[in-house]
């Protein structure tokens, strides 16, 4: 066998083996006439989604109510890029002296995905686990009114009818 013929066969054989190298990360069988690619990496698995409860004070005051409503605060949170899965009103669980204009402890609680936590923190929200005594309550509910005799008690937040929102219980006028 002449050296030229041997070099040609060697070149042909090495080019056949080198043609099996594909830069796409898939292995191509050099013996397959169709060059079928076989993946050498495992299929991607989705990351598990975790949820975090966050809160922000409504900014309402005793006797004045006000503050930022739950729906508006949720729109602001979503506009900042957070993915909100649920929302509710709440109380921070702290005690406050009773006087008009003082803080009332009302908070808005949201459940967001853990990926949205940074977006929420940048808007002034705080993880709910920082308030161990916080409780979820019904927003703007007055359907639990109890009337016993001449005293009417409204649930918190107060929803009285006499215009005086500084007391949770008041006497009915005769």
């Amino acid at each position: 066998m002449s050296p030229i013929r041997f070099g040609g066969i060697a070149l042909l054989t090495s080019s056949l083996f080198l043609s099996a190298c594909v830069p796409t990360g898939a292995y191509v069988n050099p013996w397959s006439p169709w060059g079928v690619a076989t993946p050498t990496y495992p299929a991607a698995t989705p990351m598990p989604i975790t949820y975090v409860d966050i809160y922000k004070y409504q900014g309402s005051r005793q006797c004045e109510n006000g503050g930022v409503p739950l729906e508006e605060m949720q729109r602001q949170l979503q506009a900042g890029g957070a993915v909100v899965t649920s929302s509710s009103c709440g109380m921070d669980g702290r005690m406050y002296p009773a006087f008009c204009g003082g803080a009332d402890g009302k908070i808005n609680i949201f459940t967001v995905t853990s990926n949205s936590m940074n977006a929420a923190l940048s808007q002034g929200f705080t993880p709910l686990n920082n308030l161990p005594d916080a409780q979820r309550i019904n927003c703007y509910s007055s359907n639990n009114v109890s009337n016993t005799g001449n005293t009417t008690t409204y649930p918190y937040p107060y929803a009285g009818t006499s215009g005086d929102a500084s007391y949770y219980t008041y006497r009915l006028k005769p």
Side-chain angles (χ1 to χ4, degrees):
M1 185 186 284
S2 74
I4 295 178
R5 186 183 292 220
F6 179 73
I9 292 176
L11 181 63
L12 180 65
T13 306
S14 64
S15 65
L16 179 65
F17 285 120
L18 289 177
S19 67
C21 298
V22 178
T24 61
Y27 171 75
V28 176
N29 186 352
W31 308 115
S32 170
W34 300 282
V36 178
T38 307
T40 59
Y41 44 86
T45 56
M47 293 292 294
I49 298 175
T50 57
Y51 301 96
V52 180
D53 289 331
I54 57 171
Y55 77 94
K56 190 174 186 180
Y57 282 94
Q58 291 180 354
S60 57
R61 299 282 175 198
Q62 295 179 38
C63 306
E64 300 169 8
N65 290 327
V68 181
L70 180 69
E71 296 81 14
E72 183 178 334
M73 196 176 287
Q74 181 173 345
R75 280 192 297 272
Q76 292 171 358
L77 183 59
Q78 289 172 332
V83 178
V84 179
T85 58
S86 70
S87 60
S88 65
C89 295
M91 296 297 297
D92 65 2
R94 297 177 179 161
M95 297 179 70
Y96 294 94
F99 66 94
C100 289
D104 60 2
K106 292 181 188 176
I107 57 175
N108 289 331
I109 302 171
F110 301 97
T111 303
V112 298
T113 60
S114 59
N115 297 341
S116 303
M117 188 66 168
N118 287 337
L121 292 176
S122 69
Q123 295 183 46
F125 289 85
T126 309
L128 187 62
N129 58 8
N130 290 356
L131 289 177
D133 297 328
Q135 298 176 359
R136 295 177 193 269
I137 61 170
N138 282 337
C139 298
Y140 318 110
S141 167
S142 62
N143 58 357
N144 296 329
V145 176
S146 64
N147 189 349
T148 56
N150 59 358
T151 303
T152 302
T153 304
Y154 287 90
Y156 192 83
Y158 179 71
T161 57
S162 67
D164 181 9
S166 62
Y167 300 103
Y168 301 120
T169 303
Y170 66 93
R171 304 245 286 165
L172 294 175
K173 295 178 183 176

